[in-house]
Amino acid sequence: GGAQAVDYARDPVAFITDHIQRNELGGKFVLMPHQAEILRTAFAFDKKSGRLPYDTIVLSASKKSGKTALNAALTLWFAFTQEPPNELLVVANDLEQAQGRVFKACVGMLQHNPTLRASAEITGKVIRLSNGTSILPLAADYSGAAGSNHGLVSFDELWGFTLESARRIWAELTPVPTRR
């Protein structure tokens, strides 16, 4: 028998391992065993419904533990494999932070990983993939998020979402029930 094809849409660890071998700075990128275990648990699709077991996942870890890189790698997996065309949002306390952390890490990973780079166009504040999916950074005080049909929202530095406007965007960007 031959090798079985990997179902990247159902296996974020395989996708990240095979396609994200360089981090946002061009250095070697490898998932830590505990990170792989977290992803396998949090993104274990139900075999009958095809839905994910959780609609909200919070990852908390100490400083400099790889949260941003993991977030970016997972965002790219989702962008390349889940319900294209899709809209993914990276939200932080302000636009500078939204563009400067997870979104910037996504851009860097795309630039340093040739199997992904060929399918991505980075223009200003938007990443567009050849499958029609886009990744956009948003500030927590952004009021234009109402009515979006996003597939994934990634909140960076959620502990700092203390203003009423930040709480409103959290409520506005709840998971869309018609999506997996």
Side-chain angles (χ1 to χ4, degrees):
Q4 288 188 334
V6 177
D7 183 3
Y8 290 127
R10 296 295 178 260
D11 191 346
V13 174
F15 178 89
I16 292 168
T17 300
D18 291 352
H19 295 286
I20 304 176
Q21 296 174 359
R22 297 281 167 206
N23 67 20
E24 65 275 19
L25 302 175
K28 187 174 181 175
F29 181 82
V30 178
L31 286 173
M32 303 282 288
H34 72 279
Q35 292 172 325
E37 185 61 29
I38 289 167
L39 294 182
R40 285 189 187 103
T41 301
F43 294 92
F45 288 84
D46 182 272
K47 289 183 182 6
K48 288 182 183 178
S49 70
R51 295 185 65 82
L52 289 168
Y54 309 102
D55 61 13
T56 303
I57 300 163
V58 177
L59 175 66
S60 179
S62 61
K63 282 180 122 179
K64 304 301 178 195
S65 62
K67 293 183 301 290
T68 298
L70 181 62
N71 191 337
L74 185 64
T75 298
L76 290 174
W77 162 73
F78 207 96
F80 277 95
T81 65
Q82 302 303 309
E83 303 180 301
N86 208 333
E87 181 178 69
L88 283 59
L89 306 173
V90 177
V91 184
N93 289 300
D94 56 50
L95 190 56
E96 183 179 340
Q97 189 179 50
Q99 292 171 320
R101 292 205 177 134
V102 175
F103 184 81
K104 184 177 179 182
C106 287
V107 169
M109 286 179 174
L110 288 168
Q111 291 171 336
H112 292 291
N113 291 281
T115 62
L116 302 181
R117 181 178 53 230
S119 299
E121 177 187 355
I122 303 159
T123 54
K125 299 175 180 89
V126 179
I127 297 169
R128 285 186 174 69
L129 303 183
S130 59
N131 67 5
T133 292
S134 58
I135 304 171
L136 304 101
L138 289 181
D141 61 359
Y142 182 70
S143 60
S148 73
N149 188 22
H150 52 274
L152 176 77
V153 178
S154 167
F155 288 90
D156 188 33
E157 303 292 345
L158 189 59
W159 60 268
F161 282 59
T162 57
L163 298 176
E164 183 58 33
S165 59
R167 292 175 199 208
R168 279 199 298 267
I169 201 163
W170 170 269
E172 188 61 48
L173 295 177
T174 57
V176 176
T178 57
R179 292 201 172 258
R180 283 188 286 227

